[in-house]
């Protein structure tokens, strides 16, 4: 049996996920492997480096810093979330990401990106990615319209959630058969077609396959959630989700809102802690 942790994206809804996995860290809950999509990758890597509290700390500290996330950054750099500041300055200078602890942790950590040429998901073992690991985290969280594509080893990549928002079936395919899934939407959530579909087609006209994937994203997402619900009912996965819709924007500059959503994640994790331990046995 291989135990896995699967982390959905959702931009700043990822504060909920950070609250959940910080409780796991504080209570010694470990997995054989983890996989993150978008914010689930950019924040979830701190689970592998065992840095409880780091995600909420740096997000609150830089929430109002235009270098971190702003339309000024979008105009100046082509990225709403400043690539250099978020993925280099912060982890290397201002709030250190413990790369040694990350490497020393034997838990596998996979990142999901979307190949803009094919519109298909790319699954990367971040340990094998080596020096490119941070760039894969950035690619996984690079939202269409407000981010540049990220080129790594000849591939142009964007947000992993375009092609595979909750990669349960991929994780099962590589042997992870006892999975805890952190969702950032409540029970009963149904994704609707994107209101920006026509704009996406225009902006991504050079990448018709990824535009097609964006147009069909709601169907793929809803089918995956149905699959998870059936496995959850059968006791084959353990799902942690918000008890109600998280009242937070995809962009959030208010540190108090970030803290509230993080605390919601902690509360749900603490409520489910003993059941998760039992499930993982």
């Amino acid at each position: 049996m291989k135990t896995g942790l699967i982390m959905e994206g959702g931009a700043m809804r990822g504060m909920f996920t950070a609250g959940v996995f910080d409780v796991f860290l504080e209570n010694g809950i470990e997995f054989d492997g983890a996989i993150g999509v978008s914010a689930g990758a950019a924040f979830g890597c701190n689970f592998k480096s065992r840095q409880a509290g780091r995600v909420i700390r740096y997000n609150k500290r830089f929430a109002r810093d235009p270098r971190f996330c702003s339309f000024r950054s979008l105009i100046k750099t082509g990225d709403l979330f400043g690539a250099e500041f978020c993925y280099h300055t912060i982890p290397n200078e201002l709030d250190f990401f413990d790369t040694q602890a990350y490497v020393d942790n034997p838990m596998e950590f996979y990142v999901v990106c979307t190949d803009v040429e094919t519109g298909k998901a790319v699954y990367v073992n971040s340990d094998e990615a080596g020096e490119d690991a941070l760039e894969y985290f950035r690619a996984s969280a690079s939202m269409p319209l407000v981010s540049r594509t990220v080129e790594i080893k000849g591939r142009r990549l964007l947000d992993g959630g375009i092609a595979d928002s909750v990669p349960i079936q991929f994780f099962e395919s590589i042997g992870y058969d006892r999975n805890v899934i952190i969702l950032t939407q409540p029970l009963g959530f149904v994704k609707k077609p994107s209101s920006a579909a026509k704009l996406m087609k225009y902006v991504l006209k050079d990448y018709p396959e990824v535009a097609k994937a964006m147009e069909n994203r709601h169907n793929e997402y809803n089918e995956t959630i149905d699959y998870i619900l059936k496995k959850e009912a059968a006791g084959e996965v353990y799902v942690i989700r918000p008890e109600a819709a998280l009242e937070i924007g995809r962009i959030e500059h208010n540190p108090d809102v970030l803290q509230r959503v993080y605390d919601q994640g902690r509360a749900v994790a603490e409520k489910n802690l003993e059941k998760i331990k039992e499930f993982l046995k």
Side-chain angles (χ1 to χ4, degrees):
M1 181 184 77
K2 288 176 71 174
T3 59
L5 176 64
I6 300 169
M7 294 171 280
E8 181 184 14
M12 285 304 159
R13 294 199 309 274
M15 288 296 105
F16 176 86
T17 302
V20 173
F21 68 65
D22 276 359
V23 170
F24 289 175
L25 285 169
E26 293 160 7
N27 287 273
I29 294 180
E30 297 186 346
F31 299 86
D32 297 312
I35 186 167
V37 182
S38 194
F43 296 162
C45 59
N46 292 274
F47 181 72
K48 181 170 164 65
S49 66
R50 296 191 171 104
Q51 289 178 274
R54 180 174 179 269
V55 173
I56 184 62
R57 182 176 64 241
Y58 78 74
N59 273 277
K60 286 177 66 178
R61 178 181 173 187
F62 300 112
R64 294 193 172 107
D65 192 318
R67 296 172 297 173
F68 184 66
C69 176
S70 67
F71 286 104
R72 188 178 89 180
S73 173
L74 178 62
I75 294 167
K76 187 176 179 180
T77 71
D79 293 301
L80 185 66
F81 286 86
E84 183 65 26
F85 187 73
C86 293
Y87 294 95
H88 296 281
T89 304
I90 290 176
N92 294 328
E93 299 175 22
L94 302 177
D95 196 317
F96 289 100
F97 178 67
D98 194 337
T99 53
Q100 190 60 54
Y102 183 95
V103 171
D104 289 345
N105 186 343
M107 182 190 78
E108 291 188 312
F109 191 88
Y110 283 82
V111 184
V112 185
C113 305
T114 299
D115 187 318
V116 299
E117 300 286 354
T118 66
K120 302 295 184 183
V122 175
Y123 306 97
V124 180
N125 184 322
S126 62
D127 281 329
E128 295 174 2
E131 293 180 357
D132 290 324
L134 281 175
E135 285 298 281
Y136 279 112
F137 298 154
R138 177 165 78 93
S140 183
S142 291
M143 299 180 289
L145 300 183
V146 294
S147 307
R148 294 170 294 164
T149 58
V150 180
E151 185 169 348
I152 309 173
K153 296 178 180 176
R155 278 177 163 162
R156 291 184 178 274
L157 305 172
L158 275 177
D159 193 328
I162 298 170
D164 194 352
S165 296
V166 192
I168 172 66
Q169 294 182 64
F170 166 76
F171 232 32
E172 289 175 339
S173 76
I174 61 171
Y176 288 91
D177 50 8
R178 199 72 173 162
N179 295 304
V180 172
I181 305 171
I182 305 175
L183 299 179
T184 58
Q185 296 286 10
L187 184 65
F189 173 78
V190 176
K191 187 177 284 293
K192 297 177 181 178
S194 171
S195 59
K198 289 183 179 179
L199 178 59
M200 289 289 185
K201 278 187 175 181
Y202 174 74
V203 174
L204 299 170
K205 60 182 182 298
D206 293 332
Y207 305 112
E209 294 303 318
V210 79
K212 193 183 301 181
M214 284 292 301
E215 192 173 14
N216 193 49
R217 185 183 180 197
H218 64 290
N219 292 322
E220 296 286 348
Y221 182 87
N222 294 333
E223 287 172 10
T224 299
I225 295 300
D226 286 344
Y227 178 81
I228 290 170
L229 287 171
K230 289 174 184 175
K231 294 191 74 72
E232 183 181 19
E236 296 172 358
V237 299
Y238 198 101
V239 182
I240 298 179
R241 53 171 70 86
E243 295 178 344
L246 297 172
E247 296 180 3
I248 188 169
R250 296 185 68 81
I251 303 166
E252 184 55 66
H253 298 296
N254 187 334
D256 293 336
V257 174
L258 296 172
Q259 184 70 54
R260 173 176 54 75
V261 173
Y262 171 81
D263 289 341
Q264 286 177 273
R266 290 190 61 92
V268 173
E270 288 165 355
K271 184 177 178 180
N272 286 272
L273 201 55
E274 294 308 315
K275 289 181 180 179
I276 291 169
K277 289 179 180 179
E278 187 63 31
F279 174 79
L280 292 173
K281 289 181 181 178

